[in-house]
Amino acid sequence: MKAQRGIQSVEVGGRLLLALVHEGRPMALKDLAQAAGMAPPKAHPYLVSFGKLGLIAQDEASGHYGLGPLAMQLGLISLQQSDPVRLASAQLPGLADVVGQTVGIAVWGPRGATIVRTEPGPLPVHVAMRHGTVMSLRGTASGTLFAAWLSHAEIRASDPGAVFDAAFERDLAAVRDAGIATANDGVVAGVSALAAPVFDAGNRLVLSLTAIGPSASFDVRPDGPPAQALKAAAAALSRQLGARSAATRVD
């Protein structure tokens, strides 16, 4: 097949974006240019243009360059269009009716557990989840779920300050044993949540099915009806994605 002609300047500038993705952290101009294989004076105009588009953002204090809001949005859209998210999205309306609360999908993104799809609950009073919200590692069902199944290295790549002390490790072991994470009056008083894991053919955690609601009316017991419904939906999706057995975390 004949190679298609592209725009060389776009490909050259794209090396800067690839370098940021590869390094996974904000970088000084000199270091970024070196990683992209170009001189700083050549790199700077590309960074200015990328900044105007929102692909790059420069920290005012340090002067370092990192990925900007448009890059984050593109990443979220890419995640939304992936097969696991598409399959899970089709289940949300029915799952919200069964669980009786707002449900959503969380994936592990550049900044941590991130909500990418939501479905409001059927009750007049429900707790809303917003697309793009990043859930904290501790105190939220989604964050704790990913901490339970992903390796420490994967977690710290997005959350360098993550601390895995003995008490937290015991909590994570309990999540793996139960197959579901709970948060009762966690980060926000009066709001509780459940999160169940969905695995792919490689038995890797790919997303969380999350339910959130008012603590006064939401049964978040690991063996309660909402938790069982969430776990059943997650298990069915895992089978669709080719998961064959219970997954284990490898550090």
Side-chain angles (χ1 to χ4, degrees), residues 23-246:
E23 293 294 330
R25 60 179 175 84
M27 302 174 69
L29 173 59
K30 179 181 177 181
D31 297 332
L32 179 54
Q34 182 178 15
M38 64 179 74
K42 181 178 179 180
H44 185 260
Y46 286 106
L47 295 174
V48 171
S49 293
F50 287 151
K52 291 178 179 178
L53 292 172
L55 288 169
I56 293 288
Q58 185 179 23
D59 182 76
E60 293 183 0
S62 67
H64 289 188
Y65 293 91
L67 293 175
L70 178 58
M72 297 291 187
Q73 292 170 17
L74 290 173
L76 288 174
I77 291 172
S78 176
L79 290 169
Q80 291 172 10
Q81 293 176 346
S82 66
D83 282 347
V85 174
R86 177 177 57 82
L87 290 173
S89 296
Q91 304 301 316
L92 290 187
L95 187 59
D97 287 337
V98 172
V99 174
Q101 306 290 346
T102 296
V103 296
I105 299 167
V107 300
W108 189 255
R111 295 186 295 156
T114 306
I115 301 296
V116 295
R117 282 281 193 276
T118 63
E119 181 70 27
L123 300 178
V125 177
H126 61 266
V127 177
M129 284 189 287
R130 296 180 58 185
H131 296 179
T133 298
V134 177
M135 314 301 283
S136 63
L137 199 64
R138 298 186 185 224
T140 69
S142 297
T144 303
L145 187 80
F146 280 98
W149 292 109
L150 298 184
S151 70
H152 290 178
E154 289 174 289
I155 296 293
R156 290 191 173 117
S158 297
D159 186 356
V163 176
F164 292 87
D165 54 34
F168 192 36
E169 288 287 10
R170 286 193 295 270
D171 291 341
L172 300 183
V175 168
R176 291 190 290 272
D177 288 341
I180 196 161
T182 65
N184 193 0
D185 285 331
V187 173
V188 179
V191 175
S192 295
L194 294 166
V198 174
F199 303 99
D200 64 10
N203 282 350
R204 294 277 304 164
L205 178 63
V206 290
L207 60 86
S208 161
L209 287 180
T210 300
I212 187 169
S215 300
S217 60
F218 189 13
D219 179 2
V220 293
R221 292 174 300 158
D223 59 350
Q228 294 304 311
L230 206 64
K231 288 174 63 175
L237 283 168
S238 295
R239 289 192 294 270
Q240 280 186 276
L241 293 170
R244 296 177 300 279
S245 61

